[in-house]
């Protein structure tokens, strides 16, 4: 009698399942196990090998993208503490004075030469020095004296302070003694050279706005706009070949322009400059009166130098 094979089907299914599992293992890609999210390599460098291993991938990416410390300019690079410049100006010199019979005015072309040096310490305080020379030929030609001239000399030494310094603005303030001297020669005058010398104090402020700056490997180039106003006053000595009297005077100087500093430290600027030197009538201690004078200069100045 034939026995039924009731167990043959389950055994066949077991072998088929085992064969399928083996086939799946053979076709799966070989390779190392995927690392945890916190250790995903960035740029070929495992996060675990970086400082602060175990941080998230986003934080590590920000750390790698952060600028190196050497790429951040220092305060001295953005705002150099030393500046030396030499300027040449051309313009018009005007003399207006009381001749005794009324107000007389004469004007002629003139030149100005200016040398400046300034340095600031870490405290923000500094020193400033300026010397300026001027020449105006034929200054009295409009009054019938063609053989005449005027020489001007100014020295200003000051204590300086950077009142404000930020990302795009700087404001130095300067205060100190000054000497202003003019010599007017007139070959037609029997009194010879007329000299006016003022010794006093001056106060100046020079706001400077930084239009843009560029940093290339630590070399800062910069375009800025600046303006300076300076005023002063002091007693004045007025004399010629025969008389010597006392008077009082005040000065007003102003300048505004643009300045460009190259990445290697040199700079150049173009500006409009003006100055006024007002001398009142003398005290007349010796019964001699030197009438008052308004001596003005207006022109354009080109300046070159270094800022470091």
């Amino acid at each position: 009698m034939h026995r039924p094979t009731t167990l043959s089907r389950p055994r066949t299914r077991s072998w088929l399942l085992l064969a399928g599992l083996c086939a799946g293992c053979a076709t799966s890609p070989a390779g190392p196990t995927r690392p945890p999210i916190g250790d995903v390599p960035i740029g070929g460098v495992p996060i675990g090998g970086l400082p602060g291993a175990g941080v998230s991938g986003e934080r590590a990416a920000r750390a790698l993208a952060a600028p190196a410390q050497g790429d951040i300019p220092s305060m001295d690079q953005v705002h150099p503490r030393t500046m030396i410049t030499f300027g040449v100006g051309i313009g018009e010199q005007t003399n207006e004075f009381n001749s005794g019979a009324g107000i007389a005015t004469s004007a002629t072309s003139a030149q100005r030469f200016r040398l400046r040096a300034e340095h600031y310490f870490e405290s923000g305080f500094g020193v400033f020095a300026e010397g300026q020379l001027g020449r105006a030929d034929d200054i009295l030609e409009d009054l019938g004296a063609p053989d005449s001239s005027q020489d001007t000399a100014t020295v200003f030494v000051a204590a300086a302070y950077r009142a404000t310094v930020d990302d795009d603005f700087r404001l130095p303030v300067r205060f100190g003694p000054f000497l202003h001297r003019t010599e007017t020669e007139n070959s037609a005058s029997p009194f010879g050279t007329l000299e006016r010398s003022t010794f006093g104090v001056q106060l100046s402020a020079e706001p400077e706005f930084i239009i843009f700056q560029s940093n290339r490997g630590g070399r800062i180039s910069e375009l800025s706009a600046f303006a300076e106003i300076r005023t002063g006053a002091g007693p004045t000595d007025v004399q010629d070949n025969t008389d010597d009297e006392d008077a009082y005077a005040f000065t007003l100087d102003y300048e505004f322009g643009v300045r460009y500093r190259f990445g290697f430290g040199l700079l150049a600027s173009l500006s409009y400059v003006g100055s006024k030197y007002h001398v009142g009538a003398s005290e007349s201690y010796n019964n001699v009166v030197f009438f008052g004078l308004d001596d003005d200069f207006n022109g354009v100045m080109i300046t070159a130098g270094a800022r470091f």
Side-chain angles (χ1 to χ4, degrees), residues 93 112 132-135 150-154 180-182 295:
Q93 190 91 21
R112 288 287 174 99
Q132 190 166 179
L133 297 176
R135 174 77 178 183
Q150 179 175 300
D151 292 323
T152 303
T154 303
H180 186 89
R181 180 183 176 89
T182 64
D295 180 19

Side-chain angles (χ1 to χ4, degrees), residues 44-69:
V45 181
I47 299 302
L50 294 174
V55 298
S56 68
E58 181 181 355
R59 289 177 60 193
R62 287 200 302 266
L64 289 175
Q69 189 68 25

